[in-house]
Amino acid sequence: MSLVFSEETHRNMLSRIPHCTGREISDWLRAVEEGPALLRFEEKVSWLRSEHNLAYGHAKAIIHEYDLRRAARRLL
């Protein structure tokens, strides 16, 4: 099983997160921003899973989206 989602899979996962978790993506991104200053991707995923009881795939998609948006902000 691949640990890397395709862009389409990532977008599909993001679209399902609000229904599955009861929280919007913007809420999750804010939680990551305000959470502990972890450096590694897997540390952030583990924190989301343990702190918020998220499934691995959801936590991974949230952190991936967070990293994508953070990188885009740096380019501006």
Side-chain angles (χ1 to χ4, degrees):
M1 180 171 106
S2 174
L3 295 178
V4 178
F5 295 144
S6 70
E7 184 63 26
E8 180 181 0
T9 301
H10 176 66
R11 293 289 158 216
N12 288 337
M13 181 73 76
L14 285 181
S15 70
R16 289 192 307 267
I17 287 173
H19 174 73
C20 295
T21 67
R23 292 176 68 178
E24 294 298 321
I25 296 299
S26 60
D27 294 336
W28 288 115
L29 297 176
R30 190 169 26 273
V32 173
E33 183 72 29
E34 295 170 355
L38 302 170
L39 298 177
R40 293 179 46 231
F41 183 88
E42 285 298 327
E43 290 176 324
K44 295 175 193 176
V45 170
S46 293
W47 174 77
L48 268 183
R49 292 186 71 206
S50 64
E51 186 72 19
H52 298 284
N53 198 30
L54 289 175
Y56 177 76
H58 291 151
K60 183 177 173 186
I62 290 166
I63 298 301
H64 182 63
E65 185 66 18
Y66 175 81
D67 288 348
L68 287 173
R69 291 184 186 196
R70 191 166 155 227
R73 284 193 309 256
R74 277 191 241 144
L75 293 176
L76 297 176

